[in-house]
Amino acid sequence: MSSLAVTAQVTDDQMRRYAKMIYDVAGIEISLAKKQLLSNRIRRRLKESGIADFEQYYNFLKKLPISHAEWDGFLQEVTTHETYLFRDDSNWKWLRGTFLPEFQKNGKSSLRVWSAACSTGDEAYSIATCIADGVRNLSATRIQIVGTDIGVGAVQEANDAKFNERAMRLVPDDLKRRYFSQMGGASIWEPNAKLRAMTKFRQHNLLDRLAESPFDLVFLKNVLIYFNTDSKKRVMRNVEQVMKPGSYLVAGAAEGISDLMDGFERIHPWLYLRK
Ligand SMILES: C[S@@+](CC[C@H](N)C(=O)[O-])C[C@H]1O[C@@H](n2cnc3c(N)ncnc32)[C@H](O)[C@@H]1O
């Protein structure tokens, strides 16, 4: 067990090495000024893993493949997972009021959506809810919503699909009634079988190409804010390659990608059309 004093911090050199390792693995840029914060986060992993100090833990992680459970635990500590259904009203107004009616009008028989960096799946199930509600001939339409996240634990939670009241608080009442049910009267909500059938989740690092056929719609929100320009560029190249011409990208308003969008037409600060 760790015998570190509560105040112990990583040294400047360790901070630099940890920050580089996190950047190399996940593209996330950690400010060197956040020594105390990072130390506190790592300390929780030391306790969990029984490793004695920051140096040993660094050497331990360095040798592990990113698919190892300890990497997942570490990344959970250094990334933000905040998410909830129907986050950012304008996105859902556009999806329900513009995108889905257009899709319907064009008479297309399949729709593929990627919820990239989906955390616990809240965004993917919001998309599924809007599609279930907005596509008239649902059974004759091939719908697939692929949710991905670097965190194995997050992907597991997305597959479990259990949402508390806080996560559900912005789901419009009529949609909540029609597409979710409460488990045993408790304050945990589950999506119905229709929504589940449309969604699948898998682990994926945005720094890598996603081996999937192209999408009609991609959501990429609240993740690139933690990346620097080089890793944003790398992610955007990967994202662009799996988008069909004429497909849409819904981005977070603060993602900081507007200068990297040569292959796109900007419709709103958060919405891009792939040329
Ligand atoms: C704040 S959540 C955003 C969830 C959802 N997109 C939303 O806007 O509500 C950020 C997620 O990005 C994931 N993430 C961070 N770096 C990643 C990477 N390199 N590849 C894939 N996912 C990553 C984290 O694990 C976390 O679940």
Side-chain angles (χ1 to χ4, degrees):
M1 270 295 152
S2 159
S3 56
L4 277 178
V6 183
T7 49
Q9 266 196 11
V10 289
T11 63
D12 287 343
D13 173 57
Q14 285 168 337
M15 182 68 204
R16 266 192 298 277
R17 284 185 282 131
Y18 269 107
K20 181 170 185 318
M21 180 165 66
I22 295 165
Y23 177 74
D24 288 345
V25 166
I28 299 164
E29 198 169 43
I30 305 263
S31 157
L32 294 180
K34 295 202 168 154
K35 243 167 80 170
Q36 186 63 59
L37 185 74
L38 187 73
S39 305
N40 293 344
R41 304 281 170 92
I42 301 172
R43 195 173 297 111
R44 290 207 280 257
R45 295 312 309 164
L46 295 184
K47 222 171 152 193
E48 197 64 35
S49 60
I51 292 176
D53 61 35
F54 296 128
E55 190 63 28
Q56 279 184 38
Y57 188 68
Y58 173 85
N59 291 326
F60 173 62
L61 267 187
K62 193 86 182 138
K63 286 195 205 107
L64 293 180
I66 190 187
S67 54
H68 193 280
E70 187 51 42
W71 259 111
D72 196 44
F74 178 63
L75 285 177
Q76 292 262 2
E77 292 290 354
V78 297
T79 56
T80 309
H81 292 272
E82 165 77 351
T83 187
Y84 40 89
L85 287 96
F86 285 84
R87 185 178 193 173
D88 301 325
D89 195 38
S90 47
N91 297 173
W92 311 105
K93 279 202 174 112
W94 168 80
L95 182 63
R96 300 178 77 190
T98 305
F99 180 87
L100 288 171
E102 256 174 39
F103 170 78
Q104 198 74 73
K105 208 165 70 200
N106 293 339
K108 289 190 183 154
S109 61
S110 93
L111 176 57
R112 286 180 48 73
V113 188
W114 180 18
S115 171
C118 68
S119 187
T120 46
D122 307 43
E123 185 177 272
Y125 283 108
S126 309
I127 299 165
T129 308
C130 294
I131 292 176
D133 203 60
V135 173
R136 270 192 307 277
N137 203 358
L138 199 59
S139 53
T141 314
R142 256 181 308 118
I143 311 275
Q144 188 146 58
I145 301 160
V146 182
T148 64
D149 198 277
I150 197 168
V152 178
V155 170
Q156 255 160 23
E157 282 191 47
N159 271 318
D160 284 349
K162 310 248 186 297
F163 299 106
N164 61 23
E165 294 286 1
R166 189 174 180 279
M168 294 292 291
R169 69 193 185 277
L170 297 181
V171 181
D173 279 343
D174 57 328
L175 298 184
K176 195 170 169 181
R177 262 196 317 277
R178 264 182 285 159
Y179 299 103
F180 292 83
S181 56
Q182 242 169 328
M183 291 172 63
S187 49
I188 299 293
W189 294 80
E190 276 187 310
N192 72 10
K194 236 187 225 178
L195 305 196
R196 277 180 171 278
M198 289 181 214
T199 42
K200 69 168 187 181
F201 296 94
R202 51 183 279 206
Q203 196 268 347
H204 169 255
N205 185 344
L206 287 169
L207 296 180
D208 301 328
R209 270 290 296 279
L210 179 68
E212 284 277 347
S213 30
F215 294 97
D216 302 284
L217 177 61
V218 174
F219 278 65
L220 177 68
K221 292 175 54 190
N222 303 306
V223 59
L224 296 186
I225 30 178
Y226 309 109
F227 287 45
N228 73 6
T229 306
D230 283 344
S231 48
K232 281 182 198 194
K233 272 187 191 157
R234 191 163 150 193
V235 171
M236 287 317 302
R237 260 198 312 274
N238 290 333
V239 169
E240 197 173 332
Q241 275 168 344
V242 288
M243 291 185 68
K244 295 178 187 171
S247 60
Y248 287 92
L249 173 72
V250 176
E255 230 60 39
I257 51 171
S258 53
D259 294 341
L260 311 173
M261 303 302 284
D262 283 350
F264 293 81
E265 179 189 334
R266 182 168 151 148
I267 315 278
H268 291 297
W270 50 269
L271 182 66
Y272 295 86
L273 172 68
R274 166 95 154 85
K275 292 181 199 156

